[in-house]
Amino acid sequence: MNPGTPIQRPDHRRQARRYSPQHFYQNRILDPYVQQPVNPITLRQLVFFGRNMQEDKLLKSANYVRTELPVRLAHRIRDFQNLPFIVGTNPHIELVYDLYWQAFEKLSKVPEIKTLEENDRFCEMVKALLNDHLVVIPQLALGIMECSKHIPAQQVDQFMNKMLRSRISRRVLAEQHISLTSNYNSPNHMMTDRGFIGIIYTHCKPRDIIERTARLASETCRQSLGGKIQPPKVIMDGNLDAEFSYIPDHIEYILYELLKNSMRYVMLNGKRSEAGELPPIQITVCEGTHDIVFRVSDKGGGIAPEMESHLWSYSQSPARFANFEKVSKMAATVQEQMASSSSSSNSYSTLSSSSLEDQSMHLGIGLPMSRVYAEYWGGDLKVFTMHGYGTDAYAKFCKFGNIYENFDV
């Protein structure tokens, strides 16, 4: 699907209206799942479980995902039902609600998975659902933009953070199992060790992450300004060769967004040296006892006070989501930024936005989404700015992967 292609909406005449008799019948199906607790996991558990994969472990993983995804979806469906009526009937919000209900219905009907063939069919179904749900972030953003006058800002922020955290949790479970299955089905799965256990890379190094995201952010910013201004250099120091386990998509998304923002501010506001060079962006990495911290420091003039006050809000400046009308799908990964140079073979992680020019648009969700990613595994993201000088951003990540998922039930 191209960015400008109209989204095929479900036929709402066939869907249960949210306050119809059928809707209350559906709630009787939903209620038992909403009453069940979520079973959180840690990165370390995923790493240990994914090593030396055998058939019985793969089937155990399949059935955990099979039973856990409907529970997590049910809690989010109930959140949609608790929105004010005028918000819930917004076509963008309603589209996401219908997608969640359809996914819940499909997953809740899957019987116990007992064979590898059944697991393969389950993975294909989950891949299709992941692909269908790539429209969720743009649709939620557009719905919030249109409904901002009908719901308090604090409620909007709580709702969006809850939705995005839960979305990450479901995609982690699904993509981890799909990756484990793919690796298990490969002929030499017991002999290969590339450092990946599913989607988790056990040899993440700050130097590699910074170099990769800096190249991409530089190219994005160069194209967004028509190639007329050379992006600032990135200087690294600190514990650049520290090693830890993490999901590359998560940490790279955060660093890419921070670098892209810093580069854009420096290119627009930075004071050039006598040699005509823009002030460089400094990234310092500190390895503590339990954490890895990245500091991204720029001299791009800082963030204006009127922007700083709602830096993490989805509702205070809803017009900033307007560009989502041009983006039909979004996975919120760095891989989608690289779609122009290489097309992904995984259909469930492929974006409709197929060029860096599309991704250079300011979508207004990068920083809030980055903090959701950072906090998900027990980390944090803070931004300190000096208006008229520059900005420092601190991204902290748990080094041992022993903190449970952070999401609201």
Side-chain angles (χ1 to χ4, degrees):
M1 182 183 293
N2 295 321
T5 304
I7 295 173
Q8 297 296 316
R9 301 181 184 278
D11 185 348
H12 293 298
R13 292 171 298 181
R14 299 181 183 179
Q15 299 294 322
R17 307 317 299 150
R18 292 181 53 204
Y19 298 94
S20 67
Q22 187 179 357
H23 165 72
F24 289 107
Y25 167 76
Q26 288 180 344
N27 268 355
R28 290 203 296 272
I29 302 173
L30 193 70
D31 285 343
Y33 289 86
V34 175
Q35 293 167 7
Q36 293 182 46
V38 168
N39 296 303
I41 52 175
T42 68
L43 273 173
R44 177 180 285 184
Q45 287 174 334
L46 290 177
V47 169
F48 286 167
F49 183 85
R51 288 198 174 111
N52 303 317
M53 185 55 58
Q54 302 293 335
E55 179 177 340
D56 60 331
K57 291 176 68 177
L58 190 62
L59 296 179
K60 184 177 181 180
S61 171
N63 283 298
Y64 169 70
V65 175
R66 174 186 66 86
T67 55
E68 189 69 12
L69 287 182
V71 174
R72 299 190 181 199
L73 276 168
H75 286 285
R76 299 293 74 80
I77 292 171
R78 182 54 47 84
D79 289 332
F80 275 103
Q81 293 174 347
N82 290 334
L83 288 172
F85 179 81
I86 193 170
V87 177
T89 54
N90 174 274
H92 301 291
I93 300 295
E94 198 166 41
L95 172 60
V96 178
Y97 175 86
D98 289 338
L99 282 172
Y100 278 24
W101 176 262
Q102 292 164 16
F104 166 78
E105 198 169 37
K106 287 182 180 180
L107 289 165
S108 61
K109 291 180 180 179
V110 176
E112 182 182 359
I113 299 169
K114 299 180 179 180
T115 67
L116 293 176
E117 291 74 18
E118 290 175 353
N119 177 57
D120 288 341
R121 290 195 294 271
F122 175 67
C123 286
E124 289 304 313
M125 183 190 75
V126 174
K127 284 183 187 179
L129 290 175
L130 289 173
N131 190 57
D132 290 344
H133 285 217
L134 287 175
V135 304
V136 166
I137 292 178
Q139 291 299 301
L140 282 177
L142 291 171
I144 291 302
M145 182 179 71
E146 294 179 1
C147 297
S148 59
K149 296 180 180 179
H150 306 298
I151 183 170
Q154 184 178 3
Q155 186 178 352
V156 169
D157 293 341
Q158 290 175 348
F159 173 78
M160 285 294 289
N161 281 323
K162 186 180 290 188
M163 287 291 155
L164 293 174
R165 285 195 190 103
S166 183
R167 175 187 174 278
I168 293 171
S169 79
R170 296 191 306 273
R171 295 191 79 88
V172 166
L173 295 186
E175 292 180 358
Q176 176 72 0
H177 179 67
I178 289 169
S179 183
L180 291 176
T181 297
S182 177
N183 293 339
Y184 183 82
N185 288 339
S186 66
N188 302 313
H189 78 278
M190 294 297 291
M191 300 173 60
T192 58
D193 180 18
R194 299 169 298 155
F196 276 95
I197 297 179
I199 60 173
I200 303 166
Y201 188 50
T202 57
H203 305 303
C204 286
K205 290 187 177 181
R207 185 189 306 276
D208 299 335
I209 295 166
I210 295 168
E211 288 178 348
R212 189 160 50 246
T213 53
R215 282 195 303 269
L216 184 56
S218 180
E219 183 62 23
T220 301
C221 291
R222 182 185 293 110
Q223 293 204 17
S224 69
L225 294 176
K228 298 177 181 178
I229 304 177
Q230 186 70 14
K233 295 179 181 178
V234 174
I235 300 174
M236 301 179 286
D237 65 0
N239 303 103
L240 298 174
D241 294 314
E243 195 169 282
F244 60 105
S245 297
Y246 216 81
I247 298 176
D249 273 349
H250 292 191
I251 193 168
E252 288 180 0
Y253 181 87
I254 298 167
L255 266 294
Y256 168 77
E257 287 294 332
L258 294 178
L259 280 167
K260 184 178 66 173
N261 287 340
S262 287
M263 286 182 181
R264 187 171 68 246
Y265 271 78
V266 170
M267 291 167 77
L268 294 175
N269 307 313
K271 296 180 180 179
R272 294 183 179 272
S273 66
E274 292 182 359
E277 293 185 350
L278 289 169
I281 294 169
Q282 180 81 37
I283 300 185
T284 301
V285 180
C286 178
E287 181 182 16
T289 305
H290 304 288
D291 305 304
I292 299 278
V293 180
F294 293 70
R295 183 185 67 184
V296 181
S297 182
D298 70 62
K299 297 178 182 178
I303 302 169
E306 60 270 19
M307 291 183 60
E308 184 183 4
S309 62
H310 52 259
L311 204 59
W312 308 106
S313 177
Y314 304 91
S315 59
Q316 295 293 337
S317 182
R320 67 183 181 178
F321 290 154
N323 273 333
F324 273 108
E325 294 178 352
K326 305 172 186 176
V327 179
S328 57
K329 293 183 178 183
M330 183 180 182
T333 67
V334 167
Q335 295 302 316
E336 67 197 16
Q337 317 292 333
M338 303 170 64
S340 63
S341 57
S342 63
S343 58
S344 172
S345 60
N346 297 322
S347 62
Y348 61 91
S349 63
T350 300
L351 258 212
S352 67
S353 302
S354 58
S355 73
L356 284 168
E357 287 184 341
D358 297 324
Q359 292 307 312
S360 67
M361 289 187 301
H362 184 55
L363 297 176
I365 202 171
L367 272 182
M369 189 75 202
S370 294
R371 189 163 73 169
V372 171
Y373 269 129
E375 293 176 346
Y376 185 72
W377 295 113
D380 198 7
L381 177 61
K382 295 184 184 298
V383 172
F384 300 94
T385 190
M386 296 174 66
H387 184 50
Y389 183 78
T391 300
D392 285 0
Y394 293 81
K396 182 176 72 174
F397 306 95
C398 176
K399 187 166 67 172
F400 300 118
N402 57 351
I403 297 180
Y404 284 99
E405 303 166 275
N406 173 27
F407 63 91
D408 303 317
V409 177

